[in-house]
């Protein structure tokens, strides 16, 4: 195994990011286990009366009782599998946060993508970071401020590769949006796991 790279940081008004290149211990094994065992689904969303399939496959895994809506969808959480449990414990060791849910996204190739949004749903604990683990094809991850914050604040573009861990610390979700644009030349698959902490009140409901 290659040693993990140095931690990199980005700081801007309303934004704090930390990136551990090559954080995952065994990303190839993790990726193939998740490809096989996760009950991936292509969800649809309805916008202005028209239904569109999401351009990616997803799965929502969470502790019992956690309720959460993402992309306007309220899904029953799937149970934690062993590989996901191990990643959750490794994140707790690195970050000091034990997450109670993870949204998995599977981008089958560069035609799959995620539009501009923030992970700012009311159910999420606003003091907790969001930890994003990437597996597979390298893709560009974009961030831009919601509103012009200050002179000279520029959008950010990161290349997220196999095994990289990106942590979006508070208050990033309040002030910045993020997206994963289409990349026509990418033919390989990518998985992304965003670990989140649902607030105790919402989790107990
Ligand atoms: O695939 C990614 O890196 C982004 C995922 C994302 O934005 C999300 O799950 O909210």
């Amino acid at each position: 195994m290659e040693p993990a790279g140095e931690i990199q940081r980005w700081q801007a008004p309303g934004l704090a990011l930390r990136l551990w290149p090559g954080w995952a211990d065994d990303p190839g094994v993790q990726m193939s286990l998740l490809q096989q065992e996760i009950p991936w689904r292509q969800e649809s969303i309805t916008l202005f009366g028209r239904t569109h399939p999401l351009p990616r496959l997803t799965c929502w895994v969470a502790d019992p009782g956690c309720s959460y809506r993402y992309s306007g969808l309220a899904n029953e959480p799937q149970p934690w599998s062993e590989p996901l449990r191990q990643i959750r414990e490794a994140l707790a060791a690195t970050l000091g946060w034990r997450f109670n849910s993870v949204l998995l996204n599977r981008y089958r190739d560069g035609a799959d993508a995620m539009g501009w949004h923030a992970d700012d749903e009311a159910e999420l604990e606003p003091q907790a970071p969001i930890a994003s683990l990437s597996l597979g094809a390298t893709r560009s991850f974009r961030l831009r401020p919601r509103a012009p914050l200050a002179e000279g604040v520029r959008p950010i573009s990161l290349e997220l590769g196999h095994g990289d861990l990106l942590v979006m610390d508070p208050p990033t979700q309040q002030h910045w949006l993020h997206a994963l644009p289409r990349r026509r030349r990418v033919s390989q698959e990518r998985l992304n796991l965003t670990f989140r902490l649902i607030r105790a009140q919402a989790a107990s409901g």
Side-chain angles (χ1 to χ4, degrees):
M1 187 184 79
E2 296 205 347
E6 291 282 299
I7 173 170
Q8 298 168 21
R9 292 171 196 272
W10 287 260
Q11 208 76 51
L15 171 133
L17 304 176
R18 292 178 282 163
L19 176 66
W20 279 258
W23 174 84
D25 266 351
D26 216 340
V29 171
Q30 284 166 343
M31 181 162 175
S32 55
L33 286 173
L34 295 171
Q35 282 168 320
Q36 288 162 41
E37 63 159 33
I38 292 293
W40 298 101
R41 291 186 52 177
Q42 185 168 24
E43 304 283 357
S44 295
I45 49 164
T46 303
L47 284 176
F48 307 113
R50 291 184 62 180
T51 300
H52 308 267
L54 289 182
R56 58 189 177 274
L57 308 182
T58 59
C59 181
W60 167 244
V61 170
D63 287 353
C66 285
S67 71
Y68 181 53
R69 291 180 72 84
Y70 62 92
S71 297
L73 304 163
N75 282 343
E76 271 309 298
Q78 298 291 321
W80 292 88
S81 63
E82 197 44 41
L84 285 177
R85 249 186 232 118
Q86 283 175 14
I87 299 170
R88 161 157 84 164
E89 296 315 320
L91 287 172
T94 299
L95 301 176
W97 287 93
R98 195 161 181 283
F99 298 99
N100 56 15
S101 61
V102 55
L103 175 61
L104 296 103
N105 284 296
R106 182 174 186 171
Y107 306 92
R108 293 158 289 185
D109 57 28
D112 277 354
M114 169 93 72
W116 288 103
H117 69 286
D119 301 327
D120 60 348
E121 289 81 2
E123 298 95 321
L124 295 177
E125 167 54 56
Q127 301 307 318
I130 293 201
S132 160
L133 175 63
S134 295
L135 300 169
T138 297
R139 294 282 296 263
S140 308
F141 181 76
R142 297 270 174 83
L143 297 113
R144 69 167 196 228
R146 279 178 193 260
L149 287 166
E151 269 303 284
V153 176
R154 297 242 169 278
I156 294 172
S157 184
L158 307 175
E159 295 300 303
L160 298 181
H162 193 40
D164 292 353
L165 173 66
L166 174 70
V167 175
M168 294 183 267
D169 283 308
T172 306
Q173 304 301 330
Q174 269 65 57
H175 302 292
W176 289 66
L177 303 173
H178 56 268
L180 191 94
R182 291 202 164 75
R183 282 285 174 268
R184 256 186 296 154
R185 280 191 221 115
V186 174
S187 57
Q188 301 297 309
E189 187 157 302
R190 171 178 185 265
L191 304 187
N192 178 261
L193 285 59
T194 44
F195 287 80
R196 301 145 190 253
L197 189 64
I198 293 183
R199 287 186 300 150
Q201 252 175 324
S204 66

